Amino acid sequence: MDAVIRTVGLRKSYGRTNALDGLDLEVTAGEIHGFLGPNGAGKSTTIRILLGLARATGGTATVFGDDPWRDAARLHRRIAYVPGDVNLWPGLSGGEAIDLLARLRGDGRSVAYRDERARLLEAFDLDPRKKGRSYSKGNRQKVALVAAFSVPADLLVLDEPTSGLDPLMEVVFQREVRRARERGAAVLLSSHILSEVEQVCDRVSIIRAGRIVDDGTLDDLRHLTRTQVSFADAGGDLPTLPGAHEVQRRDGRVHLTVDTAEVASLLPALGALGIQSLRVEPASLEELFLRHYGSQP
Amino acid sequence: MTGFRLLLRARWRRDAVQLTIWIAGALLLAASAVVGVRGTFPDEADRATLLATAVANPVVLLFRGLPSGTDEAAFTAFLILPFVALLAALMSTFLAVRHTRGDEDAGRAELIAATPAARTVPLSATVVHGILANIVLGALVTTTYVAIGFAASGSILMGAASALTGIAFLGVGLVAAQLAASARTANAIGVWAVLLSYLACGLGNALGTPSGDLQRMTSAPLAWVSPFGWAENTRPYDSDAAGRLIPFAGLIVVALALAFVLSGARDVGGALLPARRGRAVASVALSGPIGMVWREARSSLLGWAVGGAIVGVLSTRLASAISQIGDTIPSVQALLQSLASQGSLAQGAIEVFFTLAGVLAACAGIQTVLRARQDEAAGLAEPVRAAGVGPVRWAGAYLSVAILAVVSCLAAATAGAAVGQLTTDASQTHLIRDAAVAAAGQAIAALTLVIVATLVVVIAPRLSLPVGWALVGIATVVGLFGPLLGLSDAAVHASPFAAAPRIDGDSLDLRGGTWLAVAVVTGVALLAAAARRRELAPER
């Protein structure tokens, strides 16, 4: 598969602070790539370097095989970007801002663009005639999203794009992201909303203190974690089960964890116990996330 | 009442540095005037000559106070009272908008309004805060002059006149903040109100009736519409006419009452001037970075061009007024002849006015390039730069519109000069030529400053706002008022405004024109090199 984004040992320092400290990230065409990490881990710095708005201190970054700093303007024709904190021109209406950004990318007058823009305005339920300063946070976000989705970009860089959107719009957003993937675009989706990442992302990279600490498909990541198992029984002593960890009784149920690879071998033992209402849950993304950050003070 | 005290204290803390700078600036100006007078006009004869020149040449009176005799203290008041009052007025309108509409824009007002503090408390706290700031300013002005050894009664009037002018424009700013939908518009209304009042007073003084010995001037009625006119007509250290301050009470009460009534009649964050809806689809003009900057700047550019046109009309109108006074009053005629050796007085008037037009053009240009920094800090540069606009093209867009701003302001001034001349005396068309040459010279001067400001935006973005405006401020004080403050010629000519080419008699006096042109070309080359390496610097 073609790597759309590839960084190797990417470093960026501001004075003495190292915002990025050897970051390796790879995003391929036709995938939605989740980019997870707490505030200050280096997500926005990475995005800024990939967009050619900041220059790396060390390591390499390529976008479509080119240097994003040197070839920024040319690359930008293929990239659509939604910033995390959308600011609009106070004097421009939302519709004008959308058109301006499209025209800067070299589109904005084609019939295809106009149709797509009209469809998206309808889908996101956005009034294009309000002035920038009178939009609410969610509506400013929608302006940026319509601007990004209305041009046929090969790479979408979305920096926490759904903060401030209501659940209905979240659904519209996920539909549009999948649409972009279907036409072969790569999507880098930085997000704090783990359920969103779980639902739309094909692969995930978790960043901590300027490095990628884990990456792969959700199944890959889950493989390294334990599965949660709980059931109700008749009470009494805690049962002894093969491969079980952290066995405890809470709210009338027995809770335990088991290595994901060992789940199958646990099932016969559970059957022999005569249990009720068995629940088996693979690790959620939240648990994966906390596993990497839980040790932080 | 605790809410009121808390909010008042919060305002003091937030403004501590800023108000200290404003007030210190006013005091520095007040004290430096005395130093200038003692250095440049040490005896009565010197002062009498300058007063006679001023009375005979209304151009000087536009920017200075009301001539009230040759006494050292009264002469100082003539030179500096309008400026100190101007600083108080600007300090106060900005203060008024910052703590009302500015807080609403930033969403802070909502946080306060949701607490048990009554609806009017933030406004009352701002009123008291602004009045206190002006009282401090006035008291320190008085103290300064008493310490220098000037009479107490006149010094008290100097302080009171400055403080009351400030409080009057505090009221104007508060009303503007209630009317306008954004802090930017409210500030623009406030600044225009201050400048138009200043100009009305200056014109009123210039068109007034001089005394026979050319040492005093009686303001024309026009000066009485302006708070600056009330302040200056107290004539500190001369007649000490404190009664002339009475109109302030009326204006202040009306403006403050209006502000409270209006604030009670609208929603928090709402405006009485409704926000207009925009276009659903962008026009063809809004297709690139230049179109974007043009859209942001066009209404201010129109304002600066109107300012330029007014200055242009005044230049030729007053030039002819000078010669008319010269025809009717023999003592003025004698004075005019003694000065006529260095080009005609009418040419001198045009030069002074076009220097002012150059200052306006530089302000227009610098305001436009500083938008680059403001947009960057507001997060508006990021989406544009991420949409295929490289750093050179991005900075170049602001510079291009800034050049347009400079040129349109001075073109408007030249057109104004032509209109002013043709409607008074169509035979003196050579003055229009002089105006055009002066405009071209000032364009180079203004461009020099604009390019330096653009370099600062590119190289040291966080410093660009204070440095950019300081550049114009210093160049203006040195170039336009340097001679009156007793600066040497070499120092004065360091200001691009004073170094610009002009017409002297019938020949072109190039002066520093070559150097300015070299500076412009070098600046552009440096800019192109520096912009290429520019990263985005969104942090404030």
Side-chain angles (χ1 to χ4, degrees):
Chain A
M1 278 200 287
D2 318 334
V4 172
I5 293 174
R6 175 176 284 134
T7 75
V8 180
L10 194 63
R11 286 190 298 109
K12 174 74 183 175
S13 40
Y14 296 102
R16 279 195 203 148
T17 34
N18 288 325
L20 296 182
D21 191 14
L23 180 113
D24 303 316
L25 177 70
E26 191 169 311
V27 180
T28 52
E31 84 169 3
I32 302 176
H33 194 105
F35 193 32
L36 301 180
N39 301 324
K43 296 193 299 293
S44 294
T45 304
T46 308
I47 288 177
R48 207 162 275 162
I49 290 174
L50 292 174
L51 291 171
L53 303 178
R55 203 187 329 209
T57 317
T60 57
T62 55
V63 177
F64 297 113
D66 290 326
D67 177 353
W69 174 261
R70 208 189 52 225
D71 303 310
R74 191 159 51 79
L75 286 175
H76 288 160
R77 290 178 178 270
R78 305 177 67 184
I79 301 176
Y81 168 55
V82 175
D85 197 1
V86 178
N87 293 288
L88 296 176
W89 293 266
L92 295 193
S93 71
E96 286 178 307
I98 292 168
D99 286 342
L100 172 64
L101 290 170
R103 288 173 192 179
L104 289 174
R105 284 198 195 92
D107 200 341
R109 290 203 182 78
S110 63
V111 177
Y113 164 76
R114 264 183 248 157
D115 291 349
E116 193 65 3
R117 178 187 187 272
R119 185 185 69 76
L120 288 160
L121 286 177
E122 173 93 30
F124 279 105
D125 189 22
L126 180 69
D127 176 358
R129 293 192 55 198
K130 279 172 100 176
K131 290 285 180 74
R133 69 170 78 87
S134 49
Y135 282 116
S136 66
K137 177 171 165 47
N139 280 324
R140 287 203 305 270
Q141 207 77 36
K142 289 188 203 170
V143 170
L145 286 169
V146 172
F149 287 126
S150 57
V151 288
D154 297 324
L155 169 62
L156 286 112
V157 178
L158 312 175
D159 192 357
E160 296 176 26
T162 56
S163 52
L165 286 194
D166 63 45
L168 293 175
M169 289 305 135
E170 172 72 42
V171 172
V172 177
F173 167 76
Q174 292 184 9
R175 198 177 65 211
E176 294 303 327
V177 172
R178 291 196 183 100
R179 236 179 127 97
R181 173 180 58 188
E182 276 155 28
R183 60 174 171 71
V187 180
L188 181 65
L189 172 63
S190 146
S191 179
H192 275 145
I193 303 169
L194 300 173
S195 61
E196 170 183 290
V197 173
E198 245 169 352
Q199 284 180 43
V200 299
C201 289
D202 305 305
R203 289 206 307 142
V204 171
S205 289
I206 298 180
I207 180 175
R208 173 173 178 174
R211 290 160 169 272
I212 299 295
V213 290
D214 216 342
D215 68 319
T217 64
L218 278 173
D219 285 343
D220 289 344
L221 301 186
R222 278 179 183 139
H223 195 72
L224 301 169
T225 61
R226 288 177 182 159
T227 296
Q228 313 262 342
V229 177
S230 76
F231 53 83
D233 64 356
D237 289 342
L238 286 172
T240 315
L241 291 163
H245 301 270
E246 305 164 76
V247 185
Q248 51 183 289
R249 191 184 297 281
R250 246 184 6 245
D251 312 326
R253 291 173 70 85
V254 176
H255 293 258
L256 56 90
T257 62
V258 61
D259 289 336
T260 301
E262 307 286 323
V263 173
S265 56
L266 179 71
L267 291 175
L270 288 175
L273 281 175
I275 56 161
Q276 293 166 352
S277 72
L278 174 67
R279 201 177 286 160
V280 180
E281 292 166 301
S284 68
L285 192 54
E286 191 173 339
E287 280 153 339
L288 290 175
F289 194 72
L290 291 175
R291 197 165 70 94
H292 284 293
Y293 291 101
S295 61
Q296 274 198 331
Chain B
M1 271 335 260
T2 44
F4 175 82
R5 265 203 301 262
L6 282 172
L7 288 182
L8 184 58
R9 207 175 314 145
R11 279 160 172 67
W12 270 113
R13 281 188 50 180
R14 185 173 157 205
D15 281 357
V17 174
Q18 200 171 359
L19 289 184
T20 308
I21 293 173
W22 277 106
I23 294 173
L27 292 180
L28 207 66
L29 209 59
S32 72
V34 180
V35 178
V37 168
R38 289 186 177 162
T40 320
F41 311 102
D43 44 45
E44 270 203 60
D46 300 324
R47 297 198 284 270
T49 312
L50 184 86
L51 282 178
T53 319
V55 169
N57 184 346
V59 178
V60 176
L61 294 187
L62 257 189
F63 308 113
R64 293 284 159 172
L66 196 56
S68 309
T70 54
D71 172 70
E72 184 187 72
F75 185 79
T76 305
F78 154 68
L79 284 183
I80 212 68
L81 176 58
F83 287 169
V84 176
L86 182 66
L87 278 186
L90 290 174
M91 172 185 88
S92 303
T93 55
F94 287 133
L95 179 150
V97 174
R98 183 164 62 243
H99 292 294
T100 52
R101 181 59 69 179
D103 271 5
E104 285 180 61
D105 275 6
R108 280 188 291 270
E110 237 169 79
L111 286 175
I112 301 294
T115 67
R119 191 181 173 93
T120 51
V121 169
L123 184 56
S124 325
T126 307
V127 169
V128 173
H129 173 49
I131 290 176
L132 284 177
N134 278 296
I135 289 177
V136 170
L137 184 146
L140 289 175
V141 167
T142 299
T143 317
T144 306
Y145 282 124
V146 170
I148 283 170
F150 286 0
S153 57
S155 302
I156 290 171
L157 265 186
M158 286 289 275
S162 309
L164 284 170
T165 311
I167 296 170
F169 283 101
L170 174 77
V172 172
L174 287 171
V175 172
Q178 298 301 324
L179 291 174
S182 72
R184 199 186 277 251
T185 315
N187 274 327
I189 296 176
V191 170
W192 274 103
V194 170
L195 293 182
L196 286 178
S197 308
Y198 191 85
L199 197 67
C201 169
L203 271 178
N205 289 348
L207 301 173
T209 320
S211 65
D213 60 356
L214 300 184
Q215 303 300 294
R216 298 173 68 84
M217 195 81 167
T218 307
S219 297
L222 180 60
W224 288 95
V225 307
S226 163
F228 291 99
W230 310 333
E232 289 171 25
N233 272 291
T234 56
R235 297 185 193 271
Y237 309 110
D238 179 60
S239 56
D240 283 341
R244 303 278 161 84
L245 294 175
I246 290 170
F248 275 111
L251 175 61
I252 290 167
V253 168
V254 169
L256 292 183
L258 192 59
F260 275 99
V261 170
L262 292 176
S263 90
R266 67 180 184 93
D267 301 341
V268 172
L272 293 162
L273 304 175
R276 281 179 313 180
R277 282 169 71 79
R279 299 166 56 100
V281 178
S283 73
V284 183
L286 186 61
S287 292
I290 292 183
M292 174 197 75
V293 182
W294 164 249
R295 265 302 292 275
E296 290 183 305
R298 64 180 180 187
S299 51
S300 338
L301 259 49
L302 181 66
W304 292 112
V306 169
I310 293 173
V311 170
V313 171
L314 288 177
S315 73
T316 39
R317 280 268 161 156
L318 283 186
S320 62
I322 294 170
S323 24
Q324 279 164 20
I325 296 176
D327 289 346
T328 47
I329 304 177
S331 48
V332 174
Q333 202 166 25
L335 188 74
L336 287 181
Q337 274 159 4
S338 76
L339 290 171
S341 54
Q342 332 147 353
S344 75
L345 265 189
Q347 274 183 339
I350 284 174
E351 192 196 333
V352 171
F353 272 101
F354 272 81
T355 307
L356 184 67
V359 171
L360 290 183
C363 287
I366 284 188
Q367 186 194 48
T368 309
V369 293
L370 292 183
R371 279 176 195 278
R373 176 58 197 155
Q374 287 166 321
D375 283 357
E376 183 174 56
L380 291 173
E382 203 174 86
V384 173
R385 293 272 278 98
V389 178
V392 177
R393 194 168 154 225
W394 178 75
Y398 291 91
L399 182 58
S400 309
V401 179
I403 292 171
L404 178 71
V406 167
V407 171
S408 61
C409 182
L410 285 162
T414 312
V419 170
Q421 188 61 48
L422 295 174
T423 50
T424 42
D425 181 1
S427 65
Q428 301 276 312
T429 46
H430 67 93
L431 287 178
I432 301 175
R433 174 206 63 185
D434 297 353
V437 171
Q442 290 300 326
I444 303 179
L447 281 182
T448 312
L449 292 172
V450 166
I451 284 167
V452 174
T454 318
L455 266 175
V456 180
V457 169
V458 169
I459 294 168
R462 285 170 194 82
L463 296 178
S464 52
L465 259 68
V467 170
W469 287 116
L471 273 175
V472 201
I474 294 169
T476 306
V477 170
V478 170
L480 203 53
F481 306 123
L484 284 171
L485 295 171
L487 295 178
S488 72
D489 274 4
V492 172
H493 285 124
S495 163
F497 298 123
R502 61 168 176 182
I503 290 276
D504 191 3
D506 265 329
S507 58
L508 180 69
D509 181 0
L510 201 56
R511 300 201 290 182
T514 323
W515 288 111
L516 292 178
V518 169
V520 167
V521 173
T522 320
V524 170
L526 279 176
L527 200 57
R532 205 155 293 157
R533 282 198 294 276
R534 173 77 148 66
E535 294 182 42
L536 208 61
E539 294 79 15
R540 269 154 232 253

